[in-house]
Amino acid sequence: MELTPVLRSEWLKIRTLRSLPGALLALFAATVAFSALAGVSDASDPEFDPLFASLSGVIPGQIAAVSFGAMAVSSEFHQGALRLSLAAVPRRGRWFAAKAAVIAVPALLVGLVTALAALLAARAGLGEAAGGLSTGEQVRGVVGCGVYLMLMALLAAGVAALLRSGVATLSLLVPFILVVSFVIGDATGTVADFLPDKAGQLVLRETYDGTLGPWSGLGVTALWTAVALLAGAWRLRRGDA
């Protein structure tokens, strides 16, 4: 079976399952709102990073990206939906590749638009505090932010396929991103640089210290995502529909 019809079928599912467009809308709204708030906050901190402040809404907003990826996959495990999908596309690897593609593309596009809107909203509040940002730094921040959000959505998709549950996936990833990652970061120093969220967020910073840089940090996040997707594909091949 050709891949194009599979992509169309999976894209139709993304469009028609209300919670999925809703998650992308929440991603946009939360990220822009929190970035705008950061833009009107006090910038007198000597460690103030205007690029990260402008895109800091990604920290809460990424939860919506994770939810999008998790729900897009976990919906297949409800009421025999996966059985029907695999009846139409018997090659499980091809089906999962199509599912990953229709998660990646909208997550990337919405992530790019969201990052640009967040940057503009925050810069309006920061005023002269953001005047030192170069065009290259801002472009890097916007593009990197879009890629980061896409990778987090795909990471959640892989974990959801592995655990076969959206609830279990969110119960694992959301506390990790919001709590555990910060605790580990404070306790272990540079080890935290290689966590999927910490590494990827380096691309949102104007200045950065440590082993990784903006793009190598995204590379680490991409490796985590690839492992999650491979684990999900393995479970899909080994498990019953």
Side-chain angles (χ1 to χ4, degrees):
M1 185 177 184
E2 294 184 359
L3 186 59
T4 301
V6 186
L7 288 169
R8 289 175 179 169
S9 174
E10 294 305 316
W11 173 238
L12 181 62
K13 294 177 186 178
I14 296 290
R15 290 171 50 197
T16 55
L17 191 60
R18 291 184 180 181
S19 60
L20 298 182
L24 293 177
L25 179 61
L27 168 61
F28 179 87
T31 301
V32 175
F34 278 94
S35 290
L37 288 173
V40 297
S41 64
D42 185 9
S44 61
D45 186 340
E47 297 184 358
F48 172 74
D49 186 321
L51 184 61
F52 186 73
S54 299
L55 297 172
S56 59
V58 170
I59 305 302
Q62 66 183 325
I63 302 303
V66 166
S67 299
F68 173 70
M71 291 188 298
V73 172
S74 64
S75 63
E76 296 288 345
F77 301 110
H78 297 160
Q79 300 178 343
L82 180 60
R83 191 175 300 110
L84 294 175
S85 296
L86 295 180
V89 189
R91 296 182 62 178
R92 299 187 179 200
R94 176 168 294 187
W95 173 81
F96 192 55
K99 176 69 77 175
V102 299
I103 292 171
V105 172
L108 175 61
L109 294 178
V110 173
L112 291 171
V113 172
T114 296
L116 179 59
L119 180 65
L120 294 175
R123 278 184 59 92
L126 288 172
E128 294 182 359
L133 289 174
S134 69
T135 300
E137 288 170 338
Q138 294 177 74
V139 170
R140 185 249 292 168
V142 169
V143 173
C145 183
V147 173
Y148 171 73
L149 290 170
M150 176 193 71
L151 290 173
M152 294 304 289
L154 288 173
L155 175 70
V159 174
L162 177 64
L163 300 181
R164 301 174 72 91
S165 169
V167 173
T169 299
L170 295 178
S171 297
L172 174 66
L173 292 181
V174 172
F176 178 83
I177 292 170
L178 295 182
V179 180
V180 177
S181 182
F182 287 98
V183 173
I184 293 176
D186 292 338
T188 60
T190 57
V191 174
D193 292 345
F194 293 88
L195 296 175
D197 57 327
K198 292 288 188 182
Q201 289 169 18
L202 287 173
V203 79
L204 309 179
R205 296 187 177 274
E206 180 186 19
T207 58
Y208 41 88
D209 297 317
T211 307
L212 300 173
W215 301 115
S216 57
L218 269 184
V220 170
T221 305
L223 286 175
W224 280 92
T225 298
V227 170
L229 289 172
L230 288 172
W234 172 82
R235 179 67 189 276
L236 184 67
R237 288 178 179 273
R238 297 290 295 264
D240 296 330

